[in-house]
Amino acid sequence: MRVALFITCLADQFYAEAGVAAVRLLRALGVEVDFPRGQTCCGQPAFNAGHWGEARPLAGRTLQIFQEAEHVVLPSGSCASMVKNHYPELFPGSKEVLSLAERTYELSQFLVRVLGVERLGEGLKGKRVAYHHGCHALRELGVREEPLLLLRNAGAELLPWEAAEECCGFGGLFSVKLPEVSLAMADRKLATLPEAEVLTSTDAGCLLHLSGRMARKGVNLRVAPLATLLWEAYAGQG
Amino acid sequence: MQAKARLYPKEAARLLKEKPGVREAVTGATLHFERNRLRAYGEVPIGEWRERAKAVKDHVLSHLDRYLEEAERRLWENGVQVHWAEGPEEAHRVLLEIVRRRGVRRAVKAKSMLTEELGVNPLLESLGVEVLETDLGEYLIQLLGEPPSHIVGPAIHLSLEEIRRLFHGRFGTPLEASPEELAGVARRVLREAFLTADLGISGANFLVAETGTIALMENEGNIRLSTSLPKVHVAFVGIEKLLPRLQDLALFLPLTARAATGQRLSTYVSLIQGPAKAGEEGPEEVHVVLVDGGRTALLADPEAWETLRCLRCGACLNACPVYRQTGGHPYGYVYSGPIGAVLDPGLLSLEEAYPLPYASTLCGACYEACPVKIPIPRLLLTWRHRAVAEGLSPAWEGAAMRAFRKVMESPRLYRLFSRALRGLPLPQDLLPLLRAWTEGRGPVKPSPRPFHELWRELEGEGGR
């Protein structure tokens, strides 16, 4: 099986190790990984802000770059949802777009639903993990159980978190258009955060926002993308 | 009501800074409602209920002319006087006529968002009529001179402390009075008003076309008193509130109660079938004012009409993490929260409501909560797209988006940007976007090397 990795611009720049982890993990599971050249951003920031004229060409590029891919896998729920759910709105009636949408997955979703992998190893044994459900992964892609299953089966102790399914307040441009509200939302998440060793999520944007807020508040907690933890689960690092 | 939606971003920031207690009160109350809703939804085949409710509303909205005519006919047959109002002026005229003809000095009012839209209280006051809000929450904010901040819980933003202080100043109750004592004081004041009012005003949760029945839901009993004790009852009904058949109430009453407060049914349901007949007690006159208020125009909008399915249950407000931070006042119009963000542009105009569609992270919690499956996130995107197309978004945003596109369209520029992000000291204090980010979150820290550079080494690792 061959998979084309779509790293997404945020993970490329801010969580490069998540990409490395995803590639190593997929290869270890017997999947060939391509990294199509020329990929940049899926266009989501512009689309969500209403600038569809700027989003369309970026979506069009992405479509071309991944047109030949057997499966497209992203370490990001919201970008995966952009391709799956919103590209068809930007290009109504396009068969190519619908076909790409069908072949696109967030990483944990791909592992569980396509590869049928539920157990990666026990590298997270005893680790206390707080999992933040990125909203688009959770509500647009319906990825709720997959990350939890993989983490739990790797021995992680998933901590109950009252606000686990609440939005962290990032929201792309929302965080700069309504900065005070965005920060208040992050504070609500952090105020209810359990005593964890690591905070993880599918989305680089959420993690950037939450870890930035923790830095400002002097909270010291490891923040790692889900892909990184899944690789640790397999490779037994920690 | 005078709309101040354009001030949303400033007002939201101001409220968070100046009244942090609101955030606490609203978060607590909405989480409570939300937990109740989830439990109440869990007791029934909610997926099926939502689908059926959506289908009924879609049907009635797509044949609205027919159902409105049927409702009007039945209402007249029931002895109800029917009036049509395109907007506030016509609605005011109906009230004006009744106030003059019946010599109304005092009116009691049941909670109704539509009367907020129409500005019924200021009108009556200008006519020298004393109006008392009879919903406890509405009564509290009327005493404070504030508009409602939540569709179902108008005083959700107040703490018990604030209510104690309010009643202490107003009625001399002790500062440590219990909620029961406070409610008792309000009850005495309102009882007296119910018995002496010449006019009762209400909205309607539903209007059944088949039978001309006005359905009202509540928990305090004040709506029943407001609509049955005074000699005249006027109900203001938005034209989207229609249901085809009486049996539809069997779905919509419990669904609305579950969505709004997590109750299986509201404590009181009043089904009003016209004025009192000979030998019965009740109002001599019942009037229904069917109000358009921009709804026909919204119905004709192929991308936004679904907003009109709204039952005004407030479930989306309770589910919304953005609403929880500030409550409803910063939204600047009658309808706040996610539904306000998509309904207000339709009722007011996008220009007047511009910032509201941006008052969301598109997290989708509102859509999950909505009992009639209004696709609020999709509608938010539609209004944003239109705002940009109509040139309402600020110049900096357009420039930033164009620059963003230019960089992302060209792998060469993207690599340059990537190098600049690491190689150059970022002018984090100068770039306004970056500053807005870093002020609350610390400096932006990229990975030592971007993934697209690391890939070359990974390629070398081959299959493993």
Side-chain angles (χ1 to χ4, degrees):
Chain A
M1 193 182 296
R2 282 181 87 90
V3 152
L5 178 72
F6 187 2
I7 185 66
T8 78
C9 54
L10 271 187
D12 186 25
Q13 298 301 330
F14 296 98
Y15 291 101
E17 78 269 21
V20 176
V23 171
R24 290 194 171 140
L25 181 62
L26 287 165
R27 282 178 177 169
L29 295 168
V31 176
E32 276 186 72
V33 183
D34 295 327
F35 183 66
R37 290 166 61 90
Q39 55 174 287
T40 58
C41 169
C42 66
Q44 184 184 201
F47 177 74
N48 280 356
H51 297 261
W52 295 10
E54 317 297 341
R56 240 181 229 114
L58 298 181
R61 283 191 80 246
T62 308
L63 178 66
Q64 270 189 348
I65 287 167
F66 290 98
Q67 206 153 26
E68 303 297 319
E70 190 182 336
H71 298 287
V72 180
V73 171
L74 302 84
S76 155
S78 72
C79 309
S81 173
M82 177 70 192
V83 175
K84 254 181 139 55
N85 297 310
H86 300 301
Y87 277 17
E89 294 166 29
L90 279 174
F91 302 101
S94 160
K95 278 196 197 115
E96 289 82 9
V97 165
L98 285 178
S99 151
L100 178 69
E102 273 169 31
R103 290 176 279 130
T104 299
Y105 300 88
E106 179 278 325
L107 176 66
S108 71
Q109 186 185 31
F110 179 78
L111 295 176
V112 175
R113 291 196 206 167
V114 180
L115 291 186
V117 171
E118 297 189 353
R119 237 165 242 287
L120 293 166
E122 299 203 336
L124 299 176
K125 206 159 195 171
K127 189 154 278 213
R128 285 176 291 120
V129 176
Y131 182 79
H132 160 67
H133 285 272
C135 297
H136 293 171
L138 178 66
R139 299 196 186 84
E140 292 189 358
L141 290 180
V143 173
R144 176 183 260 123
E145 291 306 322
E146 292 87 342
L148 304 179
L149 181 76
L150 292 169
L151 291 169
R152 203 179 288 124
N153 284 346
E157 185 194 342
L158 281 168
L159 302 170
W161 184 2
E162 180 192 334
E165 295 192 3
E166 282 176 34
C167 179
C168 67
F170 171 57
L173 211 55
F174 178 86
S175 59
V176 283
K177 271 180 102 92
L178 292 159
E180 297 84 0
V181 185
S182 167
L183 293 176
M185 288 165 73
D187 290 348
R188 147 95 188 142
K189 289 283 305 198
L190 297 177
T192 57
L193 188 67
E195 286 237 0
E197 286 165 72
V198 57
L199 165 65
T200 188
S201 183
T202 54
D203 274 84
C206 307
L207 293 179
L208 207 56
H209 170 65
L210 286 173
S211 65
R213 189 61 182 161
M214 284 194 269
R216 258 290 175 263
K217 298 227 136 189
V219 180
N220 195 14
L221 171 67
R222 182 182 172 212
V223 172
L226 180 68
T228 305
L229 283 194
L230 294 183
W231 171 242
E232 287 173 15
Y234 181 87
Q237 309 163 1
Chain B
M1 178 183 163
Q2 182 77 37
K4 291 180 185 152
R6 265 180 290 197
L7 302 176
Y8 175 77
K10 269 192 197 125
E11 287 299 307
R14 195 173 64 87
L15 191 136
L16 271 167
K17 193 162 168 234
E18 292 173 11
K19 294 185 180 176
V22 167
R23 185 179 171 217
E24 204 179 314
V26 174
T27 300
T30 51
L31 285 171
H32 175 72
F33 277 140
E34 177 68 355
R35 276 192 290 268
N36 286 350
R37 176 185 70 76
L38 286 168
R39 199 193 52 232
Y41 270 14
E43 294 174 344
V44 296
I46 191 65
E48 193 193 309
W49 281 31
R50 289 169 81 205
E51 274 304 332
R52 271 168 56 208
K54 171 179 181 284
V56 171
K57 287 302 278 189
D58 284 356
H59 169 77
V60 84
L61 288 169
S62 55
H63 301 87
L64 198 56
D65 48 349
R66 201 177 90 202
Y67 284 114
L68 281 169
E69 279 173 25
E70 187 184 355
E72 183 182 23
R73 215 164 41 238
R74 294 289 174 252
L75 285 164
W76 282 112
E77 285 168 12
N78 295 344
V80 175
Q81 302 181 47
V82 184
H83 313 263
W84 296 87
E86 206 173 304
E89 295 81 26
E90 286 99 325
H92 289 183
R93 228 174 287 147
V94 176
L95 267 183
L96 196 68
E97 189 274 327
I98 293 168
V99 166
R100 295 238 166 98
R101 182 166 50 77
R102 303 279 314 204
V104 173
R105 306 283 300 274
R106 195 174 214 197
V108 282
K109 196 160 146 287
K111 195 183 129 36
S112 145
M113 298 310 276
L114 178 55
T115 58
E116 294 287 330
E117 259 184 77
L118 298 170
V120 162
N121 287 9
L123 170 82
L124 288 173
E125 280 155 17
S126 77
L127 298 173
V129 176
E130 186 198 0
V131 200
L132 259 94
E133 292 288 351
T134 60
D135 171 273
L136 182 56
E138 283 282 352
Y139 180 62
L140 292 174
I141 57 171
Q142 187 183 27
L143 291 177
L144 287 169
E146 290 179 0
S149 72
H150 184 284
I151 292 174
V152 172
I156 199 171
H157 58 289
L158 298 180
S159 67
L160 180 57
E161 270 322 299
E162 284 170 285
I163 298 165
R164 281 176 172 147
R165 278 201 300 274
L166 171 69
F167 272 49
H168 175 73
R170 186 90 184 189
F171 305 110
T173 47
L175 273 171
E176 64 280 6
S178 69
E180 290 74 22
E181 283 176 74
L182 299 174
V185 170
R187 182 178 291 129
R188 276 197 298 282
V189 174
L190 294 172
R191 274 288 148 90
E192 206 259 324
F194 287 129
L195 294 169
T196 53
D198 320 289
L199 172 64
I201 295 171
S202 77
N205 287 94
F206 304 102
L207 172 59
V208 178
E210 179 186 39
T211 51
T213 307
I214 305 159
L216 286 157
M217 306 169 62
E218 57 164 331
N219 284 322
E220 296 170 7
N222 69 74
I223 291 186
R224 184 160 294 178
L225 292 169
S226 303
T227 57
S228 60
L229 285 177
K231 294 291 177 214
V232 184
H233 168 211
V234 180
F236 291 93
V237 185
I239 56 169
E240 84 284 14
K241 294 277 183 171
L242 260 70
L243 289 178
R245 296 172 309 272
L246 195 62
Q247 69 180 54
D248 293 322
L249 290 176
L251 170 64
F252 280 88
L253 294 174
L255 178 61
T256 308
R258 279 171 199 269
T261 52
Q263 291 169 283
R264 290 171 180 156
L265 197 61
S266 54
T267 312
Y268 294 83
V269 173
S270 299
L271 302 180
I272 294 171
Q273 201 71 12
K277 298 186 180 69
E280 285 179 354
E281 285 185 41
E284 296 162 5
E285 285 181 31
V286 176
H287 299 259
V288 162
V289 188
L290 291 161
V291 181
D292 185 315
R295 286 154 176 80
T296 309
L298 188 53
L299 187 59
D301 183 328
E303 290 172 324
W305 68 274
E306 283 177 279
T307 320
L308 290 173
R309 284 206 293 268
C310 178
L311 308 178
R312 309 287 190 265
C313 68
C316 61
L317 277 64
N318 299 332
C320 179
V322 174
Y323 175 88
R324 275 184 203 147
Q325 303 309 319
T326 62
H329 285 159
Y331 292 80
Y333 190 57
V334 183
Y335 305 103
S336 56
I339 192 63
V342 295
L343 183 57
D344 298 350
L347 296 182
L348 293 169
S349 85
L350 182 52
E351 198 176 358
E352 214 170 326
Y354 161 73
L356 296 188
Y358 288 92
S360 164
T361 58
L362 303 174
C363 83
C366 49
Y367 176 63
E368 251 179 14
C370 179
V372 284
K373 302 182 81 167
I374 299 171
I376 297 176
R378 207 263 296 145
L379 292 162
L380 290 164
L381 285 167
T382 298
W383 287 116
R384 291 179 186 189
H385 177 216
R386 287 182 184 178
V388 171
E390 289 173 26
L392 295 171
S393 56
W396 68 260
E397 187 184 300
M401 285 299 159
R402 278 190 298 278
F404 170 79
R405 169 190 161 182
K406 281 233 164 357
V407 171
M408 294 300 173
E409 249 181 343
S410 150
R412 194 181 55 84
L413 281 180
Y414 178 71
R415 282 194 297 274
L416 273 175
F417 160 79
S418 177
R419 252 169 264 151
L421 192 63
R422 286 163 183 80
L424 306 172
L426 281 174
Q428 310 219 356
D429 292 334
L430 296 178
L431 295 170
L433 272 182
L434 206 53
R435 198 174 54 217
W437 174 272
T438 58
E439 255 173 15
R441 298 175 194 82
V444 172
K445 277 183 288 190
S447 301
R449 292 170 69 199
F451 176 82
H452 67 259
E453 282 181 29
L454 299 176
W455 171 249
R456 276 173 229 146
E457 289 148 40
L458 281 169
E459 258 186 319
E461 287 180 16
R464 182 73 210 238

